[in-house]
Amino acid sequence: MTAATGSIDGIDKEALRRKYREERDKRLRPDGNDQYLRLPADYLDDPYTPRTERAPKTDHVTVAVIGGGFAGLLTGARLKEAGVQDVRVLDKAGDFGGTWYWNRYPGAQCDTASYVYMPLLEETGHMPSEKYAHAPEILEHCRRIGKHYGLYDDALFHTEVTGLEWLGGRWLVRTGRGDAFTARFVVMGIGPLHVPKLPGIPGMADFRGHAFHTSRWDYAYTGGDPAGAPMDRLADKRVAIIGTGATAVQCVPHLARAAAELYVFQRTPSSVDVRGNRPTDPEWFAGIATPGWQRRWLENFTAMQTGAQAEEDLVMDGWTDLARRVRARIAELPEVTPQTLLAAFEDSDFEKMEEIRARVDAVVRDPETARGLKAWYRQLCKRPCFHDEYLQAFNLPGVHLVDTDGKGVERVTEKGVVAAGREYEVDCVIYASGFEVGTDWTRRAGYDLTGRDGRLLSEHWADGMRSLHGIHVHGFPNAFLIGHTQGANLLSNIPHNLTEAGRTVATVVAHALAHGHTEVEVTKEAEDGWVDLLLSGNGPLLGSPDCTPGYYNNEGRDLGVRGRLNGGYPGGAAAFFAYIDRWRSSGAFEGLRFHP
Ligand code: NDP
């Protein structure tokens, strides 16, 4: 095996590089993100919880938390632990859960091991039932956190924020339900993938059959339920699903079993590695769940992912597999230079992707279908998928892969879906077309912030995001963002970012309250310094313009500095978490100004 060029175990690396480039090039489109559409209002209705009427709120709270998903729950929990009782969570959904509230499609489950993915397990005493828990259990866990920390008491559901205005010492929060209340602090945990999108395919409105987006699954039409009851109403239906990302990979096996005919319209195949799910053994779990266990597991998973020191791989799954291979290769290098490191990464990636492609051949019986299902790009170019029934579904008689060879669906007609000039007549079209990413934060949030001196957040971020740690923004006192950008930027386990950000915000708020400070704001110098530090790094780990287009790389369009500002701490995620822990516990809160 050679490290830099030539072949590894018979793989012609130059031929693979060429193939990857060709596959990317044929998928590039001039319209980038503009190819997608927002969902029309009737697609967005909440199919899960009836809306209840209530009087508008015009009172005052200490903290308003926008978003009742993991970000809001984690921050709310830490605030309560820190003694801040007066916390109001708002969400456009009918309950807690965020992405797990909306995404109830059949087969939905976490792709990252539950022990590191599901937050606050230790605090709530919950043992995940499986290594990769299914969606109903995760949603129930969100409710558990809400109850455990008393976050239901003042929560406002089915409530969308329309604007935030700094009044000096407090924020005015306005919502689509007529609320106009004030909050000393506002926390925004709106999530990276919460605005569903549709492909801009001509003719979608002409379709006479039934259509919905996967994040609003219509069980009334399909039959079945999120817990896995068979979708009996599809038994005589021809169903089209458009998209083959992580969502489709999980729901296709269920549709394949239920529908009379299933047409899977593919533009780019996903890489689908082994899942290897299993129930949690309570005895094993009791052995690992000693005090501080979840933090140790989180840190271990992150260390494995980011090349930091780790003695063992606790999680041992598809995410850490690539990292283990790269580590092993690096250990064998006679000389470690940037070039040999990059070559070691590439070799491991080629090897991994060859295995994933070989798996397609081993599982899928029809050679033409198998050819279509093979992914030709580096593993982290697109969201890696893991499943043990997706490829197998294409062996069922009623299941058809319609590979559009990178071109996408051409048109939707009254009767069905057209690809490569052929019309497929169907009764139902399911859009597994994902969520808006890469557009401006305020566009996705659905509201702007009017900060000190009337400055808008959209103006402050006109040339890209600016913050300290991804949390504090100059000119926007007492407002905190919870996310992954400009912090650790750990994409394989978003909850770890949220866990740490929630802890940081709770610490800062508790400090302000304990010392009678009515305002806290990052200084301009600290924000500028953090932005300079981010720009001194290599930019986001994922999202190379050399990759096949997708939301990881802004549909193949290099965003320049704006894109690099979407990255994280140059030292990597594990180093960021260590840094922020020191920053918090020093008590100096360097870069923040408390007033008075
Ligand atoms: P994605 O954006 O990943 O996938 C959208 C799909 O729609 C892609 O296959 C895309 O093709 C396809 N598409 C778009 N336009 C067209 C068109 N005109 N014709 C045909 N196909 C089209 O959305 P998902 O909902 O699948 O996943 C979003 C993210 O949510 C994931 O990446 C992951 O981060 C998260 N997720 C996590 C899960 C978990 O942890 N368990 C489960 C599901 C999702 P193309 O690739 O060519 O753009």
Side-chain angles (χ1 to χ4, degrees), residues 105 109 111 243-247 250 267-268 382-383 408-409 432 434 551:
Y105 57 83
Q109 70 184 126
D111 264 347
T244 50
T247 297
Q250 295 186 331
R267 191 166 67 177
T268 312
K382 276 196 176 278
R383 169 61 149 67
V409 165
Y551 79 85

Side-chain angles (χ1 to χ4, degrees), residues 30-322:
D31 49 1
N33 269 322
D34 295 338
Q35 67 182 284
Y36 297 110
L37 300 174
R38 284 266 169 116
L39 265 60
D42 54 329
Y43 274 64
L44 280 171
D45 288 347
D46 180 352
Y48 314 122
T49 315
R51 179 182 144 120
T52 44
E53 292 312 316
R54 63 169 177 80
K57 295 276 183 189
T58 52
D59 54 352
H60 177 80
V61 293
T62 304
V63 188
V65 178
I66 302 167
F70 280 3
L73 286 165
L74 271 158
T75 313
R78 296 297 180 219
L79 283 163
K80 292 268 179 158
E81 281 174 355
V84 186
Q85 289 309 319
D86 187 13
V87 178
R88 173 176 291 164
V89 182
L90 299 94
D91 202 297
K92 61 187 174 189
D95 201 342
F96 287 116
T99 200
W100 298 101
Y101 178 86
W102 295 112
N103 288 282
R104 303 188 190 194
Y105 57 83
Q109 70 184 126
C110 60
D111 264 347
T112 302
S114 317
Y115 319 119
V116 291
Y117 182 81
M118 291 173 72
L120 301 166
L121 289 174
E122 197 169 346
E123 290 80 350
T124 54
H126 179 66
M127 178 192 85
S129 65
E130 301 172 278
K131 182 164 182 183
Y132 303 95
H134 280 78
E137 178 173 342
I138 305 175
L139 179 57
E140 198 44 48
H141 185 60
C142 291
R143 295 184 178 128
R144 179 178 298 113
I145 297 169
K147 285 179 202 143
H148 186 89
Y149 287 98
L151 294 168
Y152 274 101
D153 298 348
D154 198 21
L156 301 179
F157 294 121
H158 284 148
T159 301
E160 254 183 278
V161 172
T162 52
L164 294 180
E165 188 184 344
W166 178 244
L167 302 178
R170 65 204 200 287
W171 286 91
L172 175 64
V173 182
R174 291 188 191 278
T175 78
R177 308 272 304 234
D179 304 304
F181 66 89
T182 55
R184 168 90 71 93
F185 302 97
V186 291
V187 179
M188 290 159 285
I190 62 168
L193 298 159
H194 70 109
V195 181
K197 71 184 185 207
L198 288 178
I201 303 170
M204 284 191 301
D206 300 337
F207 183 57
R208 291 264 177 85
H210 196 69
F212 57 88
H213 186 272
T214 48
S215 67
R216 303 287 186 281
W217 197 272
D218 191 349
Y219 283 103
Y221 177 84
T222 62
D225 64 27
M231 293 180 281
D232 50 356
R233 293 190 192 150
L234 292 182
D236 58 352
K237 299 282 188 298
R238 298 158 303 171
V239 177
I241 181 163
I242 298 181
T244 50
T247 297
V249 165
Q250 295 186 331
C251 64
V252 157
H254 295 260
L255 288 169
R257 282 195 287 274
E261 300 288 331
L262 176 67
Y263 297 93
V264 181
F265 288 86
Q266 171 180 275
R267 191 166 67 177
T268 312
S270 280
S271 71
V272 187
D273 203 354
V274 173
R275 165 77 305 158
N277 197 14
R278 57 169 183 264
T280 305
D281 172 0
E283 237 175 85
W284 167 83
F285 188 75
I288 66 153
T290 54
W293 77 269
Q294 200 177 20
R295 193 163 187 175
R296 284 196 299 279
W297 273 63
L298 280 168
E299 286 173 359
N300 177 266
F301 184 74
T302 300
M304 282 307 298
Q305 292 289 298
T306 57
Q309 196 74 30
E311 304 222 318
E312 61 176 323
D313 179 0
L314 293 170
V315 169
M316 286 288 280
D317 72 354
W319 288 104
T320 57
D321 181 41
L322 186 60

